[in-house]
Amino acid sequence: MDQTSPMRSLLTGVQAQKASNVLADRLREGILTGALAEGAPLPNERALADMSGVSRASVREALRLLEVEGLVRTRSGRGGGSVPHLPGADMLERSIRLFTRGQRVRFGALLETRSAIEPQLARLAALNRTEEDLARLAQIQARFEDDSVGVSAWTHMNVDWHLAVVVASRNELLIGIWKAVSSLMHEATGLEEPYNLPEVRVAVRRVHRRILDAIQKGDGEAAARRMARHLDAYVAHIKPQAPPDLEV
């Protein structure tokens, strides 16, 4: 795809003062709005410099800024160059992870965040789920019923079940936030011991069945209410082993 026409429109009038930042802003806007097609190579440094009226050094710096942000990828070798790349869920997760660790966010804040969004994700799952989503949840639930499954495998199945509910919501933003928060929680605690207790497994199976039943029936309010109670029980159980003021 020829990028020349939209490039000229985006880059006209770039000023020399802090030119790399201005150029990066123009290119970023073009990538995010779709004016510059994802995967279609940008013009080379010389062409970008000619179109924008800035030096090639400023062009290189602008492209480096966008590469750090994940909006540009560089291909080496013949036919290589800079290629626009739209942000994905991995970028959101990485940003949340960096913010959480950099700001020394408390474990309690992660618990509060998950408790705030996951019941709503369950509600959305009940409203938006597909037959494929239901089949995936039923498959995981069936594996839950096997008492011979080891602790580690059972813990991973539990994560998979919650993830399947979250994915069924079809809300990309909340899914990305949940994945980042959930991952950080598990890294901070690494707790598998609770799932080695038969009574805990029985309780988890029971509540998962009830949440799944609400999702299958398309009852969003019941799904949200049951998920909220499930998370309240989890928070109460985990607090003695991972206090809220624990630093992530």
Side-chain angles (χ1 to χ4, degrees):
M1 178 178 178
D2 184 8
Q3 301 272 52
T4 302
S5 180
M7 288 298 306
R8 289 191 182 280
S9 175
L10 285 164
L11 302 182
T12 299
V14 173
Q15 300 299 313
Q17 186 177 12
K18 296 185 179 178
S20 61
N21 289 336
V22 177
L23 179 58
D25 287 343
R26 300 283 184 90
L27 292 171
R28 184 185 300 108
E29 185 66 13
I31 294 168
L32 294 176
T33 60
L36 301 178
E38 182 177 26
L42 297 174
N44 61 32
E45 287 183 6
R46 177 172 299 188
L48 286 172
D50 289 343
M51 282 186 273
S52 62
V54 304
S55 69
R56 292 181 66 174
S58 293
V59 171
R60 282 193 293 273
E61 179 60 25
L63 293 175
R64 276 196 293 267
L65 289 171
L66 295 175
E67 189 169 9
V68 169
E69 294 175 6
L71 293 175
V72 162
R73 289 181 175 175
T74 302
R75 294 175 180 170
S76 59
R78 186 176 180 181
S82 298
V83 180
H85 175 70
L86 291 175
D90 58 330
M91 188 179 295
L92 173 61
E93 292 177 43
R94 185 166 62 251
S95 296
I96 293 174
R97 176 179 293 273
L98 290 172
F99 175 83
T100 300
R101 297 190 67 182
Q103 295 296 318
R104 306 294 190 270
V105 171
R106 298 172 299 107
F107 181 72
L110 295 181
L111 287 174
E112 291 164 358
T113 301
R114 184 170 173 182
S115 294
I117 68 173
E118 194 163 348
Q120 292 309 309
L121 284 163
R123 183 180 71 82
L124 291 172
L127 301 177
N128 300 328
R129 84 289 188 277
T130 65
E131 291 302 316
E132 185 178 350
D133 294 323
L134 293 177
R136 172 65 176 156
L137 281 163
Q139 179 187 48
I140 299 172
Q141 187 65 40
R143 291 164 58 200
F144 264 122
E145 308 300 329
D146 186 354
D147 284 322
S148 67
V149 175
V151 177
S152 180
W154 211 88
T155 302
H156 283 96
M157 280 193 295
N158 186 50
V159 174
D160 289 345
W161 188 92
H162 280 269
L163 177 59
V165 171
V166 168
V167 169
S169 74
R170 296 291 179 265
N171 186 303
E172 298 86 352
L173 183 57
L174 288 177
I175 291 171
I177 294 172
W178 183 92
K179 284 183 177 179
V181 170
S182 179
S183 175
L184 286 164
M185 284 177 58
H186 293 135
E187 288 178 13
T189 60
L191 295 176
E192 294 182 345
E193 289 83 356
Y195 300 118
N196 203 26
L197 301 174
E199 60 270 27
V200 171
R201 291 198 184 197
V202 169
V204 171
R205 285 171 183 157
R206 182 172 60 248
V207 72
H208 280 197
R209 288 192 208 106
R210 299 189 70 234
I211 294 170
L212 178 55
D213 179 66
I215 292 174
Q216 289 170 330
K217 292 177 178 177
D219 190 340
E221 298 310 312
R225 186 171 60 252
R226 293 169 187 177
M227 182 66 82
R229 286 201 295 264
H230 182 32
L231 292 172
D232 286 345
Y234 170 74
V235 171
H237 189 86
I238 203 173
K239 271 186 177 180
Q241 302 166 79
D245 59 353
L246 174 71
E247 187 177 293
V248 176

